[in-house]
Amino acid sequence: MAAAGDVFLPEVGAGKLHVLAVDDSHVDRKVIERLLKISSCQVTVVESGSRALQYLGLDGEKSSIGFDSVKVNLIMTDYSMPGMTGYELLKKIKESSVFREVPVVVMSSENILTRIDSCLEEGAEEFLLKPVKLSDVKRVTDFIMKGEGKKGVKKSHKRSRSDDYSPPSSSSSSSISTAFSSVSHPCDLSLPASPSSALLSKKTRLSI
């Protein structure tokens, strides 16, 4: 078993999205990793914002992992983490000339509008409320995958939930149960959150 602080490197396959997942909670890291793998993504997980910056080579030192050989298509980060919050990590990424175009999704178990405002205004792709669902992950990854397929076309990563939301199907619900069957989570999954509370964007927030 890998020790805390280790970075799990994927074998990135052609045509698959590579997602960097950042969360200080071991349980939440395993949950998001499982959901992303169900969505056919390659996943690298790290436990802090500083480790994410190190992996991306944005810590001011030469990356020990060799990022040049690995492409990141999406970054998903928890908001509340010790040392560096997800918002601070988002700012660092958007300040980078290399990674500013990489979509960043911020996740949180707390529905605090000021945090949502700050992240969306700083350039976050989406703000997801935990527990993150398989339908949320598929919605985001499908959107990114479509954009990756448009060669030579500059695309906007901004969108609202109403543009592409569809209620989870019964098969998705079954997949969600499978995803969580081997990982216990402190949240009660027996009462699903309403669709409008699961995924927030500027357009959704303004209509509240």
Side-chain angles (χ1 to χ4, degrees):
M1 182 177 294
D6 285 349
V7 175
F8 298 89
L9 291 173
E11 294 181 0
V12 180
K16 286 191 174 184
L17 290 181
H18 176 204
V19 183
L20 175 61
V22 190
D23 203 309
D24 63 306
S25 165
H26 175 74
V27 170
D28 286 350
R29 282 200 305 275
K30 298 302 292 183
V31 169
I32 194 64
E33 180 181 16
R34 182 175 289 270
L35 292 178
L36 285 165
K37 286 183 175 179
I38 289 175
S39 301
S40 300
C41 294
Q42 301 289 343
V43 189
T44 297
V45 292
V46 295
E47 80 288 351
S48 68
S50 60
R51 290 289 287 171
L53 291 180
Q54 180 184 10
Y55 180 76
L56 296 173
L58 297 177
D59 58 346
E61 299 179 5
K62 182 176 175 62
S63 174
S64 60
I65 298 173
F67 175 78
D68 289 342
S69 63
V70 180
K71 179 181 178 182
V72 171
N73 306 103
L74 173 66
I75 298 170
M76 299 186 71
T77 179
D78 183 35
Y79 183 95
S80 299
M81 297 184 291
M84 176 182 293
T85 66
Y87 174 70
E88 292 169 332
L89 174 60
L90 169 66
K91 289 184 65 176
K92 291 284 188 182
I93 292 168
K94 293 305 176 182
E95 289 170 358
S96 165
S97 60
V98 177
F99 299 103
R100 64 175 54 150
E101 296 300 323
V102 176
V104 179
V105 172
V106 181
M107 306 171 289
S108 178
S109 57
E110 299 175 295
N111 187 1
I112 301 177
L113 290 181
T114 53
R115 291 182 178 179
I116 298 170
D117 286 344
S118 297
C119 291
L120 293 176
E121 290 171 4
E122 194 62 39
E125 168 72 14
E126 300 287 359
F127 193 104
L128 301 179
L129 294 181
K130 292 182 177 181
V132 176
K133 299 175 178 59
L134 181 60
S135 57
D136 297 331
V137 171
K138 282 188 173 295
R139 200 155 45 240
V140 173
T141 56
D142 286 351
F143 178 79
I144 303 303
M145 182 65 83
K146 288 177 183 177
E148 288 290 325
K150 297 177 181 178
K151 301 299 183 181
V153 179
K154 184 174 182 180
K155 58 190 178 295
S156 171
H157 294 300
K158 286 296 181 182
R159 61 191 171 91
S160 65
R161 179 183 60 81
S162 60
D163 292 333
D164 63 351
Y165 174 74
S166 59
S169 64
S170 58
S171 60
S172 294
S173 299
S174 176
S175 297
I176 295 171
S177 298
T178 302
F180 284 92
S181 62
S182 61
V183 181
S184 60
H185 196 284
C187 298
D188 182 4
L189 299 181
S190 63
L191 295 174
S194 65
S196 61
S197 66
L199 185 151
L200 301 174
S201 64
K202 283 186 179 179
K203 187 173 181 180
T204 305
R205 173 177 52 79
L206 292 174
S207 65
I208 295 176

